[in-house]
């Protein structure tokens, strides 16, 4: 295949028309879907379609993990600046993205139809919005039955997990991500994790205000406010950060740490859809 120059790319963009795209739901083959970020990539994968390309595939495998991407999934580069030339060369049937990334949609719409998932736009709670958007995406992809099944199976799995919690496991807990040895991101009202905790009848130890994405950034010493509550820490923790935290007297003297109440769970994308919700519930019961 001849290499794409920027001149050829722009010419191709100008020539591409949405009207030339067939109805995805009626296509004889699985649609070729390119995902500009991880939330929509998770949703597409959850409906049984392996994306042909995803922005920052290594990051997806580190921070989202499941559902797994196909081994031959192509990396589109940065989520903040996906590779337009590569997208044009791939000729996707659909491009997917999510609310909040600040990308100019126009160039992508010239390549293929664009489906944007409006999570965390303040209109609905994330779990409910995940259900609604799963149905919309399923309809567009001709995967209505898969979408309905995903909604039902996720709700059933969370209900089953809720019935398994012991009384001790029901003590308040906090969910955090660690990016350095001085600060934590803690999830609360408005987050997908809060919605799952509510469905599990678990109490979030963090009740202070959060931002529009459902989390607060804290200095580590501020975790003293949750006392001896359980702490669920999400992987990945960068290795150099883990070393510093293990050596930190500030961390070691937190009541939750001294009580031995900190547990680390595998990666779960905090801004994901139903797959992330089910994954989080499954890991919490084991923590």
């Amino acid at each position: 295949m001849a290499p794409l120059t920027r001149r050829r790319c722009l010419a191709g963009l100008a020539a591409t028309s949405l009207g030339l795209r067939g109805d995805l739901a009626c296509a004889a083959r699985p649609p070729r879907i390119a995902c500009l970020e991880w939330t929509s990539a998770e949703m597409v994968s959850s409906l049984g379609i392996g994306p042909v390309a995803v922005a920052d595939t290594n990051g997806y495998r580190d921070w989202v993990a499941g559902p797994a991407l196909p081994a031959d999934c192509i990396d589109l580069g940065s989520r903040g600046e996906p590779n337009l030339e590569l997208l044009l060369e791939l000729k996707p049937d659909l491009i997917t993205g999510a609310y909040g990334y600040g990308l100019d949609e126009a160039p992508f719409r010239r390549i293929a139809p664009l489906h944007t998932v409006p999570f965390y736009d303040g209109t609905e709670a994330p779990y409910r919005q995940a259900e609604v958007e799963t149905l919309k995406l399923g309809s567009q992809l001709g995967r209505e039955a898969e979408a309905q099944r995903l909604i039902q199976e996720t709700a059933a799995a969370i209900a089953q997990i809720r019935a398994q919690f012991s009384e001790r496991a029901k003590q308040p807990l906090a969910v955090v991500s660690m990016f350095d040895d001085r600060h934590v991101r803690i999830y609360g009202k408005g987050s997908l994790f809060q919605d799952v905790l509510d469905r599990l009848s678990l109490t979030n130890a963090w009740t202070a205000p959060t931002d529009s994405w459902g989390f607060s950034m804290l200095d580590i010493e501020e975790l003293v406010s949750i006392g001896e509550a359980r702490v669920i820490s999400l992987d990945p923790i960068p290795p150099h950060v883990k070393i510093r935290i293990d050596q930190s007297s500030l961390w070691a003297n937190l009541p939750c740490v001294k009580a031995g109440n900190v547990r680390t769970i595998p990666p779960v994308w905090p801004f994901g859809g139903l797959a992330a919700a089910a994954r989080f519930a499954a890991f919490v019961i084991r923590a």
Side-chain angles (χ1 to χ4, degrees), residues 37-75:
E37 46 63 59
W38 302 337
T39 299
S40 63
E42 177 216 276
M43 291 182 64
V44 169
S45 300
S46 298
L47 294 177
I49 299 174
V52 297
V54 173
D56 190 1
T57 54
N58 288 336
Y60 181 100
R61 293 180 174 111
D62 286 343
W63 294 90
V64 185
L69 296 178
D72 60 353
C73 184
I74 294 170
D75 193 329

Side-chain angles (χ1 to χ4, degrees), residues 205-221:
W206 185 252
T207 58
T210 55
D211 65 11
S212 60
W213 291 85
F215 66 82
S216 304
M217 290 297 297
L218 307 180
D219 293 335
I220 276 184
E221 59 265 28

Side-chain angles (χ1 to χ4, degrees), residues 4-287:
L4 277 176
T5 64
R6 182 163 295 275
R7 182 187 297 274
R8 286 184 62 211
C9 175
L10 293 175
L13 289 175
T16 301
S17 168
L18 297 187
L20 298 177
R21 301 292 177 180
D23 184 350
L24 293 179
C26 298
R29 59 168 173 76
R32 292 172 54 79
I33 303 176
C35 306
L36 304 180
E37 46 63 59
W38 302 337
T39 299
S40 63
E42 177 216 276
M43 291 182 64
V44 169
S45 300
S46 298
L47 294 177
I49 299 174
V52 297
V54 173
D56 190 1
T57 54
N58 288 336
Y60 181 100
R61 293 180 174 111
D62 286 343
W63 294 90
V64 185
L69 296 178
D72 60 353
C73 184
I74 294 170
D75 193 329
L76 288 174
S78 165
R79 289 179 293 159
E81 194 174 357
N83 189 321
L84 283 172
E85 291 91 342
L86 181 55
L87 268 173
L88 182 63
E89 188 173 3
L90 289 171
K91 296 181 173 63
D93 298 307
L94 182 71
I95 297 172
T96 67
Y99 168 84
Y101 280 85
L103 296 175
D104 180 4
E105 295 184 356
F108 303 104
R109 291 190 182 278
R110 296 189 189 106
I111 296 173
L114 177 66
H115 179 93
T116 300
V117 178
F119 281 13
Y120 301 93
D121 62 357
T123 59
E124 286 193 86
Y127 187 98
R128 176 55 187 154
Q129 202 160 18
E131 292 182 318
V132 170
E133 294 305 319
T134 294
L135 289 173
K136 289 181 182 178
L137 185 60
S139 178
Q140 181 158 9
L141 298 176
R143 299 278 174 131
E144 293 92 341
E146 288 84 353
Q148 289 283 1
R149 184 163 59 249
L150 179 61
I151 290 170
Q152 294 165 5
E153 290 179 351
T154 303
I158 292 174
Q160 184 177 28
I161 290 169
R162 181 179 64 233
Q164 298 175 32
F165 275 101
S166 66
E167 287 306 311
R168 182 186 180 282
K170 290 184 178 180
Q171 73 181 93
L173 60 82
V175 185
V176 304
S177 294
M178 299 183 182
F179 302 111
D180 62 47
D181 60 331
R182 301 290 300 178
H183 307 89
V184 297
R185 177 191 288 174
I186 190 165
Y187 301 92
K189 184 178 180 182
S191 68
L192 179 68
F193 294 154
Q194 181 65 65
D195 289 352
V196 175
L197 292 177
D198 290 344
R199 283 164 173 77
L200 292 173
S201 298
L202 298 179
T203 301
N204 193 336
W206 185 252
T207 58
T210 55
D211 65 11
S212 60
W213 291 85
F215 66 82
S216 304
M217 290 297 297
L218 307 180
D219 293 335
I220 276 184
E221 59 265 28
E222 293 181 82
L223 284 177
V224 72
S225 65
I226 66 171
E228 295 185 359
R230 290 194 298 147
V231 173
I232 306 295
S233 175
L234 302 176
D235 264 342
I237 302 173
H240 67 283
V241 172
K242 180 71 165 60
I243 291 171
R244 290 175 182 170
I245 288 173
D246 289 343
Q247 297 173 344
S248 169
S249 59
L250 188 64
W251 172 257
N253 284 296
L254 289 172
C256 57
V257 177
K258 293 174 73 173
N261 285 340
V262 181
R263 299 289 185 272
T264 301
I265 65 173
V268 180
W269 184 228
F271 314 110
L274 295 177
R279 186 176 171 85
F280 177 65
F283 290 144
V284 166
I285 195 172
R286 302 173 198 165

